[in-house]
Amino acid sequence: MVRAFSTVAPGPAAPRVRAGSPDHPAFDALDAFVAEIFERLPRADQRRWARVYTRGLLTTPGRKTVRRLAASVSDSATAAQALHQFVNASPWDWEPVRARLADWVVRRSGPRALLLGTAVLPKRGDSSCGVHRRFVPQEGRTVNCQVGIGAFLATDRAAVPVDWRLLLPGAWSADPRLRDRARVPEDTAGTQDSAAAQALDLVDGVGPSRSGGAAGTGPDGLPVVADLVGFADTVALTAGLAARGRRFVVAVPGDLVVLPERAMSAVSGVPGGSGGWAGVSGAEAVRGGGTGSARAGEGVSPVTPVPQVPPVPFVPSASPLRAVAGALPGQADRGGVRVRDLLAAQDARLPDRFPGVPVVAVRLPGVPLALRLTVERRPDESGGDRYWLTDLVDRPVRETPALARLYSGAADTMRRLADDFGLRAFEGRSYPGWHHHMTLVSAAYAYGTLGRTGPPPAHPARASRGPQPGRPPRRARTLTTPTRTGCS
């Protein structure tokens, strides 16, 4: 369904792109890519401006403001105004563009998982659509920001963003005047204040119904790997994925209460060292309801949908961890145990000669599936260890950490989007403008990562002033580090 947000025309026809732009002859492939991805834009001038904007994101060094993008690829004095109008006021629908982009990524790379993550975009002021103050766990502090929920197709080379949702908490969901001013569509009311609902909407949206792929070959056949801790209700997210029949590996908070069934000792397989993951033996995997670990050196193939394991009623007396659970401080009246306490107790039971990561069979109240719980050791990370819950109990045990490791690709993509592709450079305030910008940034990243021949560069060209005498080196930024964007 095409959303018509405004009747404002996108401005004058796009001027001729400067012939002296870097690598100009090589952009025939980029033009073909843009023509395919933006084919369904209704106006020829919109498609031309999409090409100009995408090219600017790929070639403009330094900050990707509209003015700098226009100056780097066009000789027109009005190009900046026209680009700003194309992104903020032109009534083009981003959904068909993202559907075409997802299909292009699937055909180009053969993704292994659908990743769900958050993009925290610091803002000044309170006028940008969805801006609010919230505590960001990764930063350990409160940030004035927009929060985007992103869907990424994880390939062997990168995690490519293909769809986005903007979280609209508080008044942004409840105040009709505020929503009207930001041009938020009426049909999105009541759903955009919940990160779990937004994430499930992404899962529903990225599939063959959108991308045009055949059943079983599109993103709907991929396991979902999600880390929305601190932003979404992970129980609601897990229950929603289970209700949709989607296989999943979901990060959960350490204080989440689960119902333990049996434990598995992690003793061999995947190198763990002082941090990260270690493996699980085949015999122990069978004890825990799995099918055994993968053979040494065996790669992990994409997970295909299989019938879910029939749920088994939880009987506390049948659990080998019953005595341990009863003595833990997180023990609930109904027999539940906090995730971190359960894994810590099982970790203490592992023999010293078998360093590894505990894997525990659990149940989650409200989710009628047998589940596995494990931990990713991150001693050097500010967020500490990361706990993962999965329904892949019929798959090799080591497949869970293999899929969870893919999530690091989404984190790397977020950093590159922010540093090299202008993710935080959006200067508008409207809901459609935000979605237009995120769509164009995603398309530029997809082409920059998968569209060029040969391996993609680690970073596109960007300006550098070099060392400054008497000044300390610039601190490395994270995605959630506030920057002065000049927009509110």
Side-chain angles (χ1 to χ4, degrees):
M1 178 182 67
V2 176
R3 293 190 174 103
F5 297 100
S6 171
T7 58
V8 179
R16 180 177 301 174
V17 176
R18 184 181 298 131
S21 296
D23 301 326
H24 179 74
F27 272 97
D28 290 343
L30 174 60
D31 289 344
F33 167 79
V34 172
E36 177 183 352
I37 301 302
F38 294 91
E39 179 184 14
R40 295 187 61 182
L41 266 60
R43 299 171 56 113
D45 55 345
Q46 292 172 334
R47 296 190 292 273
R48 287 194 297 270
W49 282 119
R51 183 178 70 247
V52 171
Y53 201 98
T54 305
R55 181 175 299 186
L57 290 173
L58 287 164
T59 62
T60 304
R63 293 183 59 219
K64 307 297 193 292
T65 63
V66 168
R67 187 175 299 277
R68 299 197 71 215
L69 294 181
S72 69
V73 298
S74 173
D75 293 320
S76 171
T78 61
Q81 180 181 357
L83 271 182
H84 187 274
Q85 194 171 14
F86 165 70
V87 175
N88 286 283
S90 182
W92 55 276
D93 184 14
W94 56 86
E95 290 186 351
V97 177
R98 294 179 183 175
R100 194 62 71 86
L101 179 63
D103 184 54
W104 185 87
V105 173
V106 169
R107 289 187 285 106
R108 192 84 177 185
S109 62
R112 298 173 54 194
L114 177 65
L115 312 182
L116 300 178
T118 56
V120 178
L121 311 176
K123 290 288 183 180
R124 293 186 297 175
D126 58 1
S127 298
S128 295
C129 184
V131 70
H132 61 287
R133 293 185 61 80
R134 72 177 303 127
F135 180 79
V136 178
Q138 294 82 352
E139 288 288 309
R141 61 193 178 91
T142 299
V143 179
N144 193 66
C145 59
Q146 294 172 315
V147 175
I149 312 295
F152 304 77
L153 292 177
T155 74
D156 291 331
R157 294 173 58 180
V160 181
V162 294
D163 206 357
W164 295 91
R165 298 293 183 270
L166 177 61
L167 193 64
L168 298 178
W172 291 105
S173 284
D175 189 339
R177 292 176 298 179
L178 196 60
R179 292 170 63 88
D180 183 65
R181 187 180 68 187
R183 294 158 56 205
V184 179
E186 294 182 1
D187 59 0
T188 61
T191 62
Q192 295 195 327
D193 58 342
S194 166
Q198 295 278 57
L200 292 171
D201 191 44
L202 282 171
V203 171
D204 294 338
V206 181
S209 60
R210 279 193 53 184
S211 64
T217 63
D220 68 330
L222 300 173
V224 176
V225 182
D227 183 0
L228 302 178
V229 173
F231 298 90
D233 181 343
T234 52
V235 174
L237 175 61
T238 303
L241 292 171
R244 288 160 171 78
R246 296 299 298 264
R247 313 310 300 273
F248 59 83
V249 180
V250 174
V252 297
D255 58 0
L256 178 69
V257 174
V258 296
L259 308 174
E261 286 196 310
R262 60 181 71 87
M264 298 180 287
S265 299
V267 297
S268 65
V270 183
S274 60
W277 298 92
V280 180
S281 71
E284 295 295 338
V286 173
R287 286 175 49 199
T291 59
S293 69
R295 292 185 297 274
E298 180 181 54
V300 178
S301 59
V303 179
T304 55
V306 297
Q308 300 287 353
V309 176
V312 179
F314 173 69
V315 181
S317 61
S319 172
L321 292 182
R322 182 187 178 197
V324 176
L328 290 172
Q331 174 71 9
D333 293 339
R334 61 177 181 274
V337 188
R338 289 185 307 199
V339 162
R340 65 166 60 92
D341 296 329
L342 177 61
L343 288 173
Q346 177 59 13
D347 199 24
R349 293 161 57 97
L350 296 177
D352 293 337
R353 66 182 182 277
F354 293 138
V357 174
V359 179
V360 182
V362 299
R363 299 282 181 174
L364 185 63
V367 180
L369 296 175
L371 303 171
R372 278 186 190 144
L373 177 68
T374 188
V375 60
E376 178 184 1
R377 305 297 189 194
R378 302 192 301 169
D380 299 328
E381 297 287 337
S382 59
D385 295 343
R386 184 155 50 190
Y387 305 98
W388 294 97
L389 193 66
T390 180
D391 71 333
L392 300 177
V393 297
D394 55 341
R395 304 293 298 178
V397 174
R398 61 185 291 170
E399 193 157 315
T400 296
L403 287 170
R405 274 194 298 268
L406 291 175
Y407 190 82
S408 62
D412 180 66
T413 294
M414 291 291 193
R415 287 188 289 269
R416 289 195 61 201
L417 289 172
D419 292 341
D420 304 327
F421 289 88
L423 181 72
R424 292 179 289 201
F426 177 56
E427 299 170 341
R429 298 178 176 179
S430 70
Y431 179 90
W434 187 89
H435 277 283
H436 288 163
H437 174 73
M438 300 299 280
T439 302
L440 290 156
V441 167
S442 299
Y445 182 85
Y447 180 81
T449 304
L450 302 176
R452 293 167 171 161
T453 58
H459 295 285
R462 50 178 167 169
S464 174
R465 293 181 299 176
Q468 299 295 306
R471 299 181 64 179
R474 191 175 70 169
R475 178 174 57 90
R477 292 188 312 228
T478 63
L479 180 63
T480 55
T481 301
T483 59
R484 297 184 178 273
T485 61
C487 57
S488 57

